[in-house]
Amino acid sequence: MKRLTGSAKVISAILAQEYAAYAKTQDNFDDIVAEIIKNVRKDGDKALTSYAKQFDNMSIETFEVSRETIDQAFEEIDPEVLVALKNAKRNIESYHKHQVEPGFVDAKTDGVVRGQLVLPIEKVGVYVPGGTAAYPSSVLMNVLPAKIAGVPEIYMVTPPQEKFNPAILVAAALSGVTKIFQVGGAQAIAALAYGTASIPKVDKITGPGNIFVATAKKQVFGQVGIDMIAGPSEIGVIADQSANATYVAADLLSQAEHDRLARAILVTNSVRLADEVDLALEAQLQTLPREAIARESIETNGRTIITESVEEMFELMNELAPEHLEVAMDDAISYLPKIKNAGSIFLGHYTSEPIGDYYAGTNHVLPTSGTARFYSALGVYDFVKRSQFTYYSQDAVITAAKDITKLAYSEGLQAHARAIEIREGVNVDD
Amino acid sequence: MKRLTGSAKVISAILAQEYAAYAKTQDNFDDIVAEIIKNVRKDGDKALTSYAKQFDNMSIETFEVSRETIDQAFEEIDPEVLVALKNAKRNIESYHKHQVEPGFVDAKTDGVVRGQLVLPIEKVGVYVPGGTAAYPSSVLMNVLPAKIAGVPEIYMVTPPQEKFNPAILVAAALSGVTKIFQVGGAQAIAALAYGTASIPKVDKITGPGNIFVATAKKQVFGQVGIDMIAGPSEIGVIADQSANATYVAADLLSQAEHDRLARAILVTNSVRLADEVDLALEAQLQTLPREAIARESIETNGRTIITESVEEMFELMNELAPEHLEVAMDDAISYLPKIKNAGSIFLGHYTSEPIGDYYAGTNHVLPTSGTARFYSALGVYDFVKRSQFTYYSQDAVITAAKDITKLAYSEGLQAHARAIEIREGVNVDD
């Protein structure tokens, strides 16, 4: 991989420029997508049928995927994949249940009760891509947190296909999706945002998709909530001389195989390890079925950064704020306090990043492109709203009236002050 | 106010159309703002100085507001306003401290540790408008949750002025802002998003602003996190025959005086109350200093909706998902379980909405235009990231290997499977 040296600030600035350059290469489909959304709002199901013909070459009369089709998928799925999905589901549930918030109430002042209700979002739509990008694991990762949040209606949309991947339908059924609709692309996002006769209007849309889906999500944002717009996948590995170069190379490749644009970044204070990882990468690439993609990712976007010290390794990685962060060091847990920005952290020589993609139960929908500085993994907290409530008794209003009206008048908002003064018993001249 | 009757679905559809029509009337400053951002990225402080001259007619050499200027503000502030700000601060802190999340760890499976760290965002920028829209209460509402989240660096930006409102500087100092910079408009947002020699680059930007500020926030979104883009303020009041029409009218006007576009909506099952509220509105409007604004808001955007039943009142309000919701009914708390969507709820005849704007301690930065269906009040949770961490021992990987590799192969991601298989001791053919 290309090597970089220098201070954390310099290197992170170089990488930030590379991110920005990538963003500029993205094609712009704003106008096409705006037109699709407009047509779906105007013509509803008729537009969806027409786009299914145009984009998917399918004649769709009924959008809802039938109970029979889903039952059939359970017949067809590899029984070992079914077991693995069930085990993954169990782990995702046990992890995400810790994220359930109870709300609170505060009743410490006479006549005053304040609190926060945590309410599930009422209707959620989950987009699931078709074809080779159809990942049953992503169905679990998107739907289960919503389910645990208590969302009563969860609608999955996926492009119409001659034959659905049975694992996708099984994952949807296992996670408790309310209904599955065969509609894809920007038109599916428009249908979820505005509703049609067949597709319910939802409050929030999550799930990955191609550039049309991502653009549509941006355009309907505000009308409905959306999750993050994901960039290419990234892995950052912090490794010292205690690391196993073969393991590190394998983990870097597990991200690199996703996409030519995926980024694998090794930060180490050991030149020897960096050399060994390069050799191991080459050896492993040669037998990888997705070699072409992984090689382009490693050669174009992969970086090895050599630092002087352990402190610098973490300083640099905090500037990068990677989606996935492996700490391939002995006693990895002792470095947890040094980590400020990372979507998901994998500690120690055996905690290979794919464990998190499929199985550990932590979420694999993660902030990319440095947005882990301010974003978090998808979680139960993304499927709730926190509603404040307040009760003031007459006496409590009388007590607080002077302060409230002072502030209101100082901001020139007289009607605010009057709403307090007009209450019986309030006399701010006291 | 204009009256509407009909089912919850019909009325909410009418109001949604009105929102959409409003959104279309917004001027578009995308190109102007993009140009400003480009110039700030290119020329840094030089661009900021030039825009201060152009837009604020001020010659600014030093952007940071000095310690002396802030000390001076404490000399100048009305002592009663200072007391009120301190009391408001105490209440905001005691409410928001309940929102601090401890994170969690799960260590129930042999060799497996999973958990979630809750880490403060490292650098936050808060925009504070200048002139008559400068609200010290908003400074407290934006800064204190960040402070309680543990954000170490909080930078406030506000347009340069011959003379700052002392209450703004005092509120900033009381809430623990790190530094205050005199820079406003889209150029301030650009400076916070990308950094200049004087202004630090931050990770997230919050705070209200005019259309230039809002447009700039949208454009830098992704580069940094942002809070919600607020629409006009709204209040929904649910009232029955037990309500006091004078109080209800005063509370509706407290929102109406904000802005000609503000929306006040009364939902009631009592025609008599609706009539009385109309009379009280007219009486109170006639002596209101901001009568022109409030009258236009009430006459253009105000609505009275008459329903048949209590159930319908709540059903309708849940469709509207108002920013502020008052329940002006006896035993108001008993209706809390009926509320599904509302930013901030005010219970009972004495809990006037301005109590929440200034004093109760709940946040007044709230989701508008129906976005309370999926958004929450600004809170401590907006200033943290949740970082997942995972540790698997060698034995734990060996145990999980079969399921993980099954799923990886089923998704066609061989490098994912190999990263597991390559670990010593793993044999998936067992």
Side-chain angles (χ1 to χ4, degrees), chain B residues 34-341:
Chain B
E35 179 74 17
I36 293 172
I37 294 174
K38 202 184 79 186
N39 288 336
V40 172
R41 289 187 70 177
K42 184 157 62 72
D43 297 332
D45 284 349
K46 206 168 131 255
L48 298 182
T49 300
S50 155
Y51 286 126
K53 193 79 204 156
Q54 183 182 342
F55 295 136
D56 307 300
N57 196 27
M58 298 275 293
S59 296
I60 306 294
E61 288 170 16
T62 309
F63 292 100
E64 188 177 344
V65 174
S66 70
R67 188 67 245 173
E68 293 70 42
T69 308
I70 297 165
D71 289 344
Q72 182 67 22
F74 275 88
E75 302 290 323
E76 291 169 2
I77 191 171
D78 174 343
E80 291 186 325
V81 171
L82 178 59
V83 168
L85 282 175
K86 285 183 176 173
N87 288 337
K89 174 184 183 244
R90 179 200 63 213
N91 292 345
I92 294 167
E93 286 175 338
S94 64
Y95 178 82
H96 285 79
K97 276 180 183 165
H98 293 288
Q99 293 175 338
V100 173
E101 296 169 54
F104 59 81
V105 63
D106 181 312
K108 291 180 186 154
T109 305
D110 268 357
V112 176
V113 181
R114 308 174 299 173
Q116 181 179 281
L117 298 175
V118 180
L119 301 171
I121 291 176
E122 295 189 272
K123 295 177 189 176
V124 165
V126 175
Y127 190 89
V128 175
T132 54
Y135 295 149
S137 56
S138 291
V139 175
L140 301 181
M141 294 291 179
N142 277 278
V143 178
L144 290 172
K147 199 78 191 169
I148 291 168
V151 176
E153 300 178 42
I154 304 172
Y155 300 104
M156 183 176 124
V157 293
T158 193
Q161 290 153 76
E162 290 297 346
K163 174 73 189 151
F164 289 107
N165 175 349
I168 291 287
L169 300 187
V170 166
L174 285 180
S175 16
V177 159
T178 310
K179 287 182 180 177
I180 305 173
F181 296 102
Q182 47 180 335
V183 51
Q187 60 274 24
I189 302 300
L192 289 171
Y194 294 99
T196 72
S198 297
I199 316 286
K201 177 182 182 312
V202 302
D203 302 313
K204 184 161 186 169
I205 302 173
T206 72
N210 63 19
I211 183 72
F212 291 96
V213 171
T215 303
K217 281 168 70 180
K218 276 186 207 166
Q219 291 190 8
V220 300
F221 174 50
Q223 166 67 22
V224 295
I226 62 168
D227 61 346
M228 301 158 280
I229 304 289
S233 196
E234 310 154 343
I235 188 170
V237 178
I238 292 182
D240 63 8
Q241 71 290 346
S242 75
N244 178 315
T246 306
Y247 297 179
V248 169
D251 293 355
L252 293 169
L253 288 176
S254 76
Q255 289 306 297
E257 77 168 338
H258 270 297
D259 187 344
R260 293 166 203 280
L261 296 167
R263 299 186 71 111
I265 294 175
L266 169 65
V267 178
T268 181
N269 58 358
S270 164
V271 175
R272 187 178 57 79
L273 180 82
D275 292 341
E276 288 174 3
V277 168
D278 277 341
L279 291 173
L281 281 170
E282 185 51 43
Q284 295 180 29
L285 270 170
Q286 287 177 11
T287 62
L288 200 63
R290 293 165 73 93
E291 179 189 351
I293 293 171
R295 185 178 290 281
E296 186 172 337
S297 160
I298 290 289
E299 291 179 357
T300 312
N301 302 313
R303 295 288 182 275
T304 302
I305 299 164
I306 314 279
T307 67
E308 296 285 320
S309 67
V310 169
E311 282 303 324
E312 277 177 317
M313 292 200 281
F314 286 93
E315 194 189 331
L316 187 81
M317 209 48 107
N318 284 329
E319 293 278 336
L320 298 181
E323 180 189 11
H324 306 96
L325 170 59
E326 284 190 6
V327 182
M329 298 169 75
D330 290 344
D331 294 320
I333 192 137
S334 70
Y335 300 101
L336 206 48
K338 292 194 193 296
I339 299 171
K340 305 293 179 211
N341 299 314

Side-chain angles (χ1 to χ4, degrees), chain A residues 59 74 133 142 169 184-185 203 223 229 254 265 271 307 316 329-330 346 366 371 390 396:
Chain A
S59 296
F74 276 88
N142 277 277
L169 300 187
D203 302 313
Q223 165 68 22
I229 303 289
S254 77
I265 294 177
V271 175
T307 67
L316 187 82
M329 297 168 77
D330 289 344
F346 300 86
L366 293 167
T371 57
T390 308

